[in-house]
Amino acid sequence: MPEIAVLQPSSQLPATDSSASTLKCKSLAETSVGQHPTPLFVDDEKKTAKINELRELVENCDDFVRRSDDLFLSRFLICCDWDVQEAFQRMGKLFKLKHDHPEWFINEPLSSYKHILKRNVKFVLDKRDKNGRRIFVTKMCRMDINESPATDLAHLDELWCEFMLNDLETQQNGISCLLDMSGFSIKSLRYLTPSNIKIGTQKADLMPVKHMEFHVVNSSAFLNTAIAILYPVLSKQIKDKVHFHYSDWDSLHACLGKEALPAQYGGTNGTDFDYDALNKQLLDLEDHYSNLVKFGYELKPHVDASKYKKFFHSIDGAKHNKSKHRKSLLESELVEE
């Protein structure tokens, strides 16, 4: 029985037919999770074999229903240079993190996250950078620690990363993260608790992205304070990929190009962000996200749910707190109106 080092394997798993669990698609819009058409790499027998090998390991790793379509598995294999065991261990560590800290991962349908999406703190541009990478923007000025706890920001990251990584071109080319520090408030330093830093960096390190770079613009004195706190605990892998451009657009364009950026960053892609259109990229895929909710939270039919009573109690508690927080925000908005 294959075993993920950080999770106990199931002792009564039914036999799986790995040859039947394949999916061909190149983008999230074409993906239907749970369906198994022809292989993603139909003309590459070696890659197809590695995907099937990884699928068998994943489907037999523990008691939970796990996502195992080709496009999901390929993101880990590409990230790990097609080393099946390395990809499997990376997935196992991510599964373990989700099991131990479910409140940091999405566990509700997409409709439950519309209230944080509309704050436009994080979003993905409609055009790629000059290296074919998706551009993932974070606007620090739109963060409000009173409205968005650290877990909300983690959910936004996961929602948008799912959008980006369910695309083969992005898996191969990578992601450019554009961090706009203008308006960064000293109150936001309250996000940087030891626990938040530990879990957030673990999740970032385990994200299956082969190429990811961070481009910081409009930095401020407050940012220097944040860096002094955060930098020592960042992995070397992340540190080496952070680039500071301040307000030097020529420096930014040398890395990303101008065509995907709006005029506020010296680019040629309009004068500003069309937030409604950018969020619509994700909101149009509500059915896809609804299908994802079961993975890592739904047990296989033969499993005794009482074994995971504490785990599901934690999830229910997180959902209750999230619902209470949303209700409080809505009441505040109504009072202001």
Side-chain angles (χ1 to χ4, degrees):
M1 178 71 64
E3 180 174 351
I4 286 184
V6 289
L7 287 181
Q8 288 297 110
S10 170
S11 58
Q12 311 176 47
L13 291 177
T16 59
D17 178 6
S18 61
S19 64
S21 299
T22 53
L23 176 68
K24 181 181 180 181
C25 56
K26 291 189 177 182
S27 68
L28 188 147
E30 300 167 329
T31 304
S32 183
V33 176
Q35 293 185 4
H36 308 298
T38 54
L40 178 64
F41 296 95
V42 66
D43 297 322
D44 193 322
E45 293 183 1
K46 289 184 178 180
K47 289 182 178 179
T48 298
K50 286 181 179 291
I51 287 176
N52 287 336
E53 182 182 349
L54 180 58
R55 176 180 295 110
E56 186 171 358
L57 292 174
V58 171
E59 291 182 343
N60 291 309
C61 72
D62 60 15
D63 293 336
F64 290 86
V65 176
R66 300 291 181 186
R67 184 178 173 188
S68 59
D69 58 84
D70 281 24
L71 200 56
F72 176 73
L73 299 178
S74 66
R75 64 179 71 167
F76 288 89
L77 287 166
I78 291 172
C79 176
C80 297
D81 295 321
W82 293 90
D83 184 318
V84 174
Q85 286 300 323
E86 184 180 344
F88 181 55
Q89 290 301 317
R90 190 184 190 100
M91 294 176 78
K93 291 175 182 178
L94 190 60
F95 294 165
K96 170 65 173 174
L97 190 66
K98 184 173 184 177
H99 182 274
D100 291 346
H101 303 282
E103 70 278 10
W104 282 76
F105 292 80
I106 58 173
N107 53 25
E108 295 184 280
L110 183 60
S111 58
S112 299
Y113 299 98
K114 288 181 180 179
H115 70 291
I116 57 174
L117 280 169
K118 72 178 183 180
R119 294 174 193 159
N120 304 317
V121 175
K122 295 173 180 281
F123 47 91
V124 174
L125 300 192
D126 56 340
K127 294 183 179 180
R128 298 175 186 269
D129 72 11
K130 69 177 191 177
N131 297 306
R133 297 172 182 167
R134 297 309 300 251
I135 302 176
F136 184 34
V137 180
T138 298
K139 299 277 283 186
M140 297 298 295
C141 64
R142 293 182 174 271
M143 287 187 180
D144 185 338
I145 195 168
N146 297 318
E147 292 187 355
S148 300
T151 49
D152 271 6
L153 302 182
H155 295 160
L156 278 175
D157 284 335
E158 188 175 356
L159 289 168
W160 281 112
C161 285
E162 172 62 27
F163 170 81
M164 292 185 284
L165 289 177
N166 240 50
D167 173 87
L168 190 56
E169 186 176 356
T170 302
Q171 291 180 17
Q172 294 169 335
N173 294 337
I175 298 172
S176 293
C177 299
L178 178 59
L179 308 178
D180 188 338
M181 305 303 296
S182 60
F184 181 73
S185 168
I186 196 168
K187 290 194 302 181
S188 299
L189 295 178
R190 288 156 56 192
Y191 282 123
L192 304 180
T193 65
S195 176
N196 287 349
I197 292 172
K198 179 181 178 181
I199 300 171
T201 54
Q202 284 179 336
K203 190 175 180 182
D205 282 342
L206 292 172
M207 186 183 300
V209 184
K210 187 171 180 61
H211 303 287
M212 177 177 282
E213 293 185 348
F214 299 86
H215 299 275
V216 183
V217 299
N218 295 326
S219 53
S220 65
F222 289 136
L223 175 62
N224 296 332
T225 305
I227 292 173
I229 297 173
L230 185 60
Y231 204 73
V233 300
L234 295 179
S235 66
K236 184 177 185 301
Q237 180 182 5
I238 292 180
K239 289 178 183 177
D240 292 343
K241 296 179 179 179
V242 178
H243 308 279
F244 293 89
H245 303 284
Y246 304 98
S247 299
D248 184 347
W249 303 142
D250 289 337
S251 173
L252 180 65
H253 299 159
C255 295
L256 304 184
K258 301 172 63 173
E259 289 74 17
L261 301 172
Q264 64 178 275
Y265 299 117
T268 58
N269 187 19
T271 57
D272 201 352
F273 299 113
D274 184 344
Y275 294 112
D276 289 340
L278 295 175
N279 286 330
K280 190 173 184 295
Q281 296 177 110
L282 192 151
L283 293 172
D284 281 348
L285 302 162
E286 188 160 1
D287 289 345
H288 174 86
Y289 284 91
S290 296
N291 286 332
L292 295 179
V293 172
K294 66 180 181 181
F295 297 117
Y297 297 111
E298 181 179 310
L299 294 172
K300 294 173 181 175
H302 65 281
V303 177
D304 179 4
S306 65
K307 291 170 54 180
Y308 297 95
K309 185 176 181 180
K310 183 177 180 180
F311 171 69
F312 288 110
H313 177 73
S314 176
I315 294 172
D316 291 341
K319 288 183 177 180
H320 173 73
N321 291 337
K322 190 186 301 182
S323 176
K324 186 177 179 180
H325 181 65
R326 283 200 299 264
K327 183 179 179 181
S328 175
L329 290 177
L330 180 59
E331 290 175 348
S332 297
E333 290 174 358
L334 291 174
V335 169
E336 289 177 1
E337 292 178 357

